[in-house]
Amino acid sequence: PEAFASIQEAVRLEPNHPKVLDELIEISLGHGKKDFASDAINKIKSTNPDNSKISEWESRLAEL
């Protein structure tokens, strides 16, 4: 999908940007891409550990 390719390019350009990682996680979870979602969640945990969405994302990841 085009959205996934676009967000991968954004991550390549700004690998630790919280908004880019947020979008990568959402798109990855929406497309069932567990590995990408898991990696991005781990990255956001190290760059922005206070992000309020982390527990929600982990729950959604566990359901995939």
Side-chain angles (χ1 to χ4, degrees), residues 28 32-39 61-62 64:
S28 297
K33 296 185 180 290
K34 290 177 82 168
D35 292 340
F36 285 99
S38 179
D39 289 346
L61 180 64
L64 290 180

Side-chain angles (χ1 to χ4, degrees), residues 32-50:
K33 296 185 180 290
K34 290 177 82 168
D35 292 340
F36 285 99
S38 179
D39 289 346
I41 290 169
N42 288 331
K43 200 176 278 191
I44 211 162
K45 283 167 117 175
S46 66
T47 60
N48 186 10
D50 297 327

Side-chain angles (χ1 to χ4, degrees), residues 1 3 6 14 22 25 34-35 37 39 48 53 56 58-59:
S6 296
E14 296 192 64
D22 182 305
I25 293 166
K34 290 177 82 168
D35 292 340
D39 289 346
N48 186 10
K53 295 182 183 178
E56 173 196 334
E58 289 177 326
S59 294

